[in-house]
Structures are given as C-alpha cells and as structure tokens.
Amino acid sequence: MEPTRYIVHYQPIRMNQDQYEAILHRLMQAQPEACDWHICIGSGDGLEVIDLWDSLDRLKRFQAILFPILRSVGVICQKPTPMPVVNAFSPANLVAA
C-alpha cells in the first residue's frame, strides 16, 4: 500500500526565532500550498521544523519556494528525505471498546 502522508524534518545548521519568524512572514507573502501540520521545536539557535504532508508533489512545490527564502535569511538546511507515515493518531481520541 502506498503511503498517503509524509513527515519532513528540517534540521538547519542554525536557526533562531528571528529567522524563523522572517521565514514565516515571507512564506505568507508567497502563499504556497500548505502542509497539514507544522511544528517548530527547539530553542535559541537550535530551532527545527517538522511538517506533515499528504502529497510529495505538494511538498516539492513548497520546497521550491522555501529554500530560496531560507537562503535569503541565512538559514542553511539540506533538503530532508520525506519519511512515509505508518500510523498517526491522537491518544486523546481513543475510545476503549
């Protein structure tokens, strides 16, 4: 069975809050297709991002916009390998049978 969702973990060499906010601002101006979930983790100069996508094609179009923006704010990050999601759920939504 073909995976229907993909996780992408961006691990830049260094990214701080100001750079992250500048990236978000420029992405909002560019209005690219959005991922299903976006999580920023870390602190100080060690911020990382995890995105959940439902399409590799949408992800590739997004990255074509994202990576020039990253370079413009001084963030160096290799393109991560999309990892297929095997299972995802919220434990709060589980109901005992």
Side-chain angles (χ1 to χ4, degrees):
M1 178 185 228
E2 232 5 76
T4 57
R5 296 196 186 261
Y6 298 86
I7 288 286
V8 182
H9 186 180
Y10 296 94
Q11 298 173 290
I13 293 172
R14 181 176 55 240
M15 180 172 65
N16 61 40
Q17 186 73 32
D18 290 338
Q19 290 170 310
Y20 175 72
E21 289 176 9
I23 293 162
L24 288 182
H25 178 74
R26 292 180 188 189
L27 283 172
M28 287 182 197
Q29 290 176 328
Q31 297 182 346
E33 294 180 80
C35 60
D36 295 333
W37 285 94
H38 172 86
I39 301 166
C40 182
I41 59 174
S43 62
D45 285 339
L47 297 184
E48 299 179 4
V49 169
I50 300 170
D51 287 341
L52 175 66
W53 289 87
D54 68 358
S55 162
L56 288 177
D57 290 334
R58 286 179 58 217
L59 168 61
K60 289 176 187 177
R61 289 191 297 270
F62 173 78
Q63 287 181 336
I65 295 167
L66 173 65
F67 278 91
I69 292 172
L70 293 179
R71 284 190 294 276
S72 75
V73 298
V75 172
I76 299 168
C77 183
Q78 293 183 349
K79 282 190 180 176
T81 302
M83 298 296 295
V85 174
V86 174
N87 192 13
F89 61 90
S90 171
N93 294 330
L94 291 178
V95 177

